[in-house]
Amino acid sequence: MRIAWFTDNANVASIVHSGSKVPELQDLALRIFHVCVSFGISLELKWIPRSVNSEADHLSRIIDFDDYTLNDDVFHMLDFRWGPHTIDRFACSYNAKLSRFNSRFFQPGTEAVDAFLQNWDFENNWILSPVSQIARVIAHLRVYKAEGTFVIPLWKSSYFLPLLCDNGRHWNTFVHDWVVLPKFKQLFVRGKAKNGLFGARELSFIGLWQEVFKDPDLQSLSARLQTTILSARAPATVSMYDRAFRRWKEFALSKHELSYLPANPMHVAVYLQYVLESTRSSSSVDTAFYSIKWAHESAGLVSPTDNPLVNRVWEAAKRILGAKRCHSKEPLSIEIIKDIISAADLSNTLQLRNICLYVLCYAGFFRSEEVTSIRRNHITFHDGYMTIKVEKSKTDQLRQGDEVIIAQSGGSACPVSILRDYLSRLNIDPQLDELIFRQLVKTKSFYKMVNKDKPISYTTFRDHLSKSLCSVVPDPSVYGTHSFRSGGATKAANSGVGE
């Protein structure tokens, strides 16, 4: 039996075909090999560009952020009290509490996709739904006169609580029994989604994001607001701020007379003084300051960090403890770059590649990680200039992408001409979604790029630059890969080019 396996990841094709030095990946490759041998499968791996795999790639990026589940011991306690439950309405193959379950997407073992399309009557339903779907669950239970156990967060200001407790004091008549679950760290088990809310972290101010609305559409929008607000910062930043805010919360609660949210400016100023004295680190004071600011603004509150007193403590910490000095590299001038080009042998493909890197960084203001990530189908040549698409940049926080325009300048340092020569030398197809600056290997008569779609490393770039500078400047150590970007920007500014 022959099976064709299409993948847009060149590393996958290489690992399955030849194995890997990484033990985990090598183990997977061997398991695939043994399955093929056992069942007489002839496996043919075919790499395809991302541009022709957009539909499957889109589906693979759909993430279920609500794949958390309840602690097994707590489930068994509730199942003993109100069970036996017959079906888990909101689950997946790896977190289902019961053999029968409904899932959001198709899963191995699922009885049906989309619980809301099913009749819940004649079942004892186990329900742990996404917070945004709680109102729909209540409505569905009432429409089908169904029964079951429904786990919800006890958020007193939430949009859904009035649906269960009209007067704010007593449960509605359709709630037959209830119990407050024990509060402990492992109450919820985190799912596979990195940015999942439950099981990953218990944000102290999450309840303040909820608002009481009567309109079902507004209720749903309000429930999804928390995910949107968290997405305003990168996951690593959210995690860092959350940890720092927890430290502030613990400090405030341990002193009894301090309020952590909303926080009193004087209380925050005292805490920053404590951080200053206990850590002797201005970066720790920075983190504490910005985490409190982030938490208040995320909750729609006025931040105490806007208070002049708090600002004075924050600024004083930098002066008292001193900010870390930045030993920045000198900018490279076009004259030095021309000297490097003059000293290079452009018939040598490796040296031509290095020169191409240098002039692109200078003319396009590229960082090293940006220039080494350029793909062939992101380059378009025009009459008198070229455009290069930049998919991801350090300054592009919204990940919208950008397009850099570089003019044809003529002369020995013309980036357009040098890039054309380099691409022509390696005969790279303009339609391919491949990195153009990959490792070069030398054969008997010429250089060729490795098939692995992996850019050259920062270390390789830096070491080649150091060698190129040795013959043209007295001290190569004062320059770095960022010197091209700063040099190009300096030249542009001196020539009157605006931002």
Side-chain angles (χ1 to χ4, degrees), residues 87 89 100-103 110-121 123 125 140-141 143-144 146:
I87 187 168
R89 287 298 180 186
R100 296 175 60 215
F101 67 92
N102 296 156
S103 57
T110 185
E111 186 171 287
V113 174
D114 194 346
F116 293 113
L117 296 179
Q118 314 309 314
N119 185 343
W120 293 6
D121 200 6
E123 302 277 8
N125 301 278
H140 206 75
L141 284 166
V143 165
Y144 285 97

Side-chain angles (χ1 to χ4, degrees), residues 30 75 88 117 131 137 240 312 343 345 363 435 463-464:
L30 287 173
F75 167 74
D88 190 342
L117 296 179
V131 175
V137 170
M240 178 183 68
R312 287 291 183 271
D345 176 11
L435 296 167
D463 291 347
H464 279 296

Side-chain angles (χ1 to χ4, degrees), residues 429-443:
D429 187 338
Q431 304 304 317
L432 287 181
D433 183 37
E434 290 185 355
L435 296 167
I436 65 170
F437 295 117
R438 307 199 298 272
Q439 182 183 350
L440 293 175
V441 292
K442 189 175 183 181
T443 63

Side-chain angles (χ1 to χ4, degrees), residues 63-73 75-76 87-112 126-130 151 187-193 196 198-199:
I63 300 171
D64 183 5
F65 289 106
D66 298 301
D67 62 340
Y68 54 87
T69 187
L70 195 68
N71 179 285
D72 282 341
D73 292 335
F75 167 74
H76 291 311
I87 187 168
D88 190 342
R89 287 298 180 186
F90 296 87
C92 59
S93 58
Y94 53 82
N95 70 10
K97 297 298 184 187
L98 301 163
S99 58
R100 296 175 60 215
F101 67 92
N102 296 156
S103 57
R104 180 181 176 187
F105 307 111
F106 177 78
Q107 295 269 322
T110 185
E111 186 171 287
W126 171 256
I127 306 165
L128 175 59
S129 73
V151 180
L187 178 60
F188 290 99
V189 179
R190 183 176 184 174
K192 293 184 178 180
F198 292 94

Side-chain angles (χ1 to χ4, degrees), residues 166-213:
D166 284 340
N167 59 14
R169 298 181 61 188
H170 303 98
W171 294 111
N172 291 347
T173 55
F174 57 81
V175 179
H176 298 305
D177 196 6
W178 61 281
V179 64
V180 176
L181 297 179
K183 187 176 182 180
F184 62 102
K185 190 175 182 180
Q186 289 79 29
L187 178 60
F188 290 99
V189 179
R190 183 176 184 174
K192 293 184 178 180
K194 291 182 179 179
N195 293 342
L197 182 63
F198 292 94
R201 54 186 179 272
E202 180 190 349
L203 297 174
S204 305
F205 52 90
I206 202 74
L208 294 174
W209 289 346
Q210 308 300 324
E211 182 60 81
V212 178
F213 292 109

Side-chain angles (χ1 to χ4, degrees), residues 23-274:
E24 293 83 3
L25 297 178
Q26 176 67 6
D27 181 58
L28 286 173
L30 287 173
R31 285 163 61 187
I32 293 170
F33 172 76
H34 289 313
V35 169
C36 290
V37 171
S38 300
F39 292 93
I41 298 172
S42 175
L43 189 61
E44 182 182 0
L45 270 94
K46 296 182 179 180
W47 175 84
I48 56 174
R50 295 176 191 169
S51 56
V52 299
N53 193 40
S54 56
E55 187 172 350
D57 191 48
H58 168 72
L59 292 172
S60 71
R61 295 176 190 277
I62 297 176
I63 300 171
D64 183 5
F65 289 106
D66 298 301
D67 62 340
Y68 54 87
T69 187
L70 195 68
N71 179 285
D72 282 341
D73 292 335
V74 178
F75 167 74
H76 291 311
M77 180 266 290
L78 295 175
D79 194 49
F80 178 79
R81 180 166 181 166
W82 293 321
H85 296 91
T86 57
I87 187 168
D88 190 342
R89 287 298 180 186
F90 296 87
C92 59
S93 58
Y94 53 82
N95 70 10
K97 297 298 184 187
L98 301 163
S99 58
R100 296 175 60 215
F101 67 92
N102 296 156
S103 57
R104 180 181 176 187
F105 307 111
F106 177 78
Q107 295 269 322
T110 185
E111 186 171 287
V113 174
D114 194 346
F116 293 113
L117 296 179
Q118 314 309 314
N119 185 343
W120 293 6
D121 200 6
F122 308 112
E123 302 277 8
N124 188 2
N125 301 278
W126 171 256
I127 306 165
L128 175 59
S129 73
V131 175
S132 61
Q133 301 301 312
I134 289 177
R136 287 187 69 189
V137 170
I138 295 170
H140 206 75
L141 284 166
R142 300 191 69 177
V143 165
Y144 285 97
K145 295 183 171 63
E147 59 182 41
T149 301
F150 191 11
V151 180
I152 63 169
L154 192 58
W155 293 340
K156 294 182 180 179
S157 60
S158 64
Y159 78 96
F160 53 79
L161 206 59
L163 302 175
L164 298 166
C165 179
D166 284 340
N167 59 14
R169 298 181 61 188
H170 303 98
W171 294 111
N172 291 347
T173 55
F174 57 81
V175 179
H176 298 305
D177 196 6
W178 61 281
V179 64
V180 176
L181 297 179
K183 187 176 182 180
F184 62 102
K185 190 175 182 180
Q186 289 79 29
L187 178 60
F188 290 99
V189 179
R190 183 176 184 174
K192 293 184 178 180
K194 291 182 179 179
N195 293 342
L197 182 63
F198 292 94
R201 54 186 179 272
E202 180 190 349
L203 297 174
S204 305
F205 52 90
I206 202 74
L208 294 174
W209 289 346
Q210 308 300 324
E211 182 60 81
V212 178
F213 292 109
K214 294 181 180 179
D215 186 295
D217 292 335
L218 295 178
Q219 292 172 359
S220 180
L221 288 169
S222 175
R224 295 194 298 274
L225 183 61
Q226 57 194 18
T227 302
T228 302
I229 291 174
L230 287 176
S231 301
R233 294 287 183 272
T237 304
V238 171
S239 179
M240 178 183 68
Y241 283 165
D242 182 45
R243 290 193 302 271
F245 185 76
R246 284 177 180 275
R247 290 193 288 270
W248 153 240
K249 176 185 174 182
E250 290 168 4
F251 176 85
L253 293 176
S254 69
K255 303 303 178 186
H256 303 295
E257 37 185 314
L258 304 183
S259 58
Y260 68 90
L261 193 86
N264 183 298
M266 183 62 186
H267 297 174
V268 173
V270 169
Y271 175 65
L272 294 182
Q273 179 68 24
Y274 163 77

